[in-house]
Amino acid sequence: MREEIRTMILNSAENGMITTKRISEMGVHRSALRELMDSGDIIRSGRGIYMIADEWEDDYRLLQKKYARGIYSHGTALYLHGYSERVPLSFHMTFPYGYNSPSIKKENIILTRVIPDNYELGLIAVTTPYGNAVNAYNLERSLCDMMRGSKEDIQTIQFAMKKYVSSQEKDINRLLMYARKLRIESKIRNYLEVLL
C-alpha cells in the first residue's frame, strides 16, 4: 500500500478508531483495510469498526460506536459519574422499545428498553475513564433507574445516594420530577427522608 494512503487512514482515526464508512468517504478502497490489518497497523474490533493497533481500546467508546442508540445507564452511568466504587463487570445500556440487534446478545451488555417518552430523559454526554465522550444518563436519571430495577444493588444505591445528597451538584427538584415521571417517587422520597 502506498505510504500516503496508510498515513491518511491512520491520521483520520478518531480516538484511535476508524470505520469502513469513513474510509469510503475518503475515497480509499476498502482493500486498504485488509492491507493495514495484515501489516498489524489496525485491528478489527467490530463490524465496520477498526482500532489503531497501538491505541488503548476504550470499551465504553467502542460499544457506543457499535450501538449508537444505546445510552449508558444504571450502575454503569453511576460509575462514569464517579458515584459508584464498583467498576462495572457488564455494561448497562438502555435502548428504546423496538430496538433489536442480534449481535448485542454476544456483547457484555445488560440491556434495558424504555418507552420513547423516557428514552432521552436525562441524556447527556460524559467522559469515559479513557477521556472519550459517550452518551449516558445524568445522575438523577441514573439514581432513578437503579431504584426502578428489579435487581436493586442496595450497596451501590446507598453509596450513590449518600454522595449525591452531600454534593453541591445535587438537584433534588429534578430528581423528584424524574422519580414522578418514572413512577418511583415514594422510593426516592423514602431515601431522601433518611439521608437529608
Side-chain angles (χ1 to χ4, degrees):
M1 174 180 356
R2 292 192 324 251
E3 187 61 30
E4 61 198 43
I5 293 175
R6 178 185 176 280
T7 302
M8 182 173 64
I9 291 172
L10 296 177
N11 289 339
S12 296
E14 179 184 319
N15 295 320
M17 276 190 238
I18 193 157
T19 62
T20 52
K21 180 181 177 188
R22 178 73 183 118
I23 297 283
S24 294
E25 288 170 354
M26 293 168 27
V28 177
H29 194 272
R30 290 186 183 192
S31 64
L33 290 173
R34 171 58 49 205
E35 290 182 40
L36 285 171
M37 285 187 352
D38 291 344
S39 68
D41 288 318
I42 64 171
I43 300 166
R44 184 176 189 266
S45 55
R47 184 172 179 238
I49 301 172
Y50 298 84
M51 298 290 300
I52 305 304
D54 59 351
E55 294 285 332
W56 184 260
E57 189 170 327
D58 183 348
D59 288 335
Y60 297 96
R61 176 80 172 128
L62 180 60
L63 288 173
Q64 182 81 85
K65 203 69 153 151
K66 284 172 110 172
Y67 306 105
R69 299 204 55 204
I71 300 171
Y72 287 106
S73 59
H74 297 76
T76 304
L78 288 177
Y79 175 75
L80 291 171
H81 286 293
Y83 277 69
S84 175
E85 296 176 309
R86 298 179 180 173
V87 176
L89 299 176
S90 297
F91 300 97
H92 204 135
M93 296 182 91
T94 295
F95 295 85
Y97 269 124
Y99 178 86
N100 191 19
S101 173
S103 67
I104 206 165
K105 293 174 183 157
K106 299 174 187 168
E107 302 287 354
N108 188 21
I109 295 175
I110 300 169
L111 177 80
T112 297
R113 291 186 179 95
V114 295
I115 61 172
D117 288 349
N118 293 339
Y119 173 63
E120 291 187 2
L121 181 69
L123 174 61
I124 62 169
V126 297
T127 304
T128 71
Y130 308 102
N132 297 308
V134 293
N135 292 328
Y137 288 122
N138 63 17
L139 270 173
E140 290 80 11
R141 171 66 188 265
S142 300
L143 289 167
C144 288
D145 283 342
M146 287 296 288
M147 297 271 199
R148 287 178 77 203
S150 58
K151 299 175 185 168
E152 296 175 10
D153 182 344
I154 300 301
Q155 289 178 326
T156 299
I157 291 170
Q158 288 176 343
F159 176 85
M161 284 296 285
K162 284 179 187 175
K163 186 171 179 175
Y164 179 77
V165 297
S166 64
S167 169
Q168 297 294 323
E169 300 170 12
K170 70 180 176 285
D171 186 338
I172 301 296
N173 290 329
R174 182 188 304 155
L175 179 64
L176 291 172
M177 188 253 310
Y178 286 179
R180 264 189 302 283
K181 187 159 178 72
L182 298 170
R183 297 186 174 137
I184 56 155
E185 186 175 6
S186 61
K187 276 184 163 182
I188 294 289
R189 284 192 183 277
N190 289 341
Y191 262 92
L192 292 175
E193 284 175 17
V194 171
L195 298 171
L196 289 176

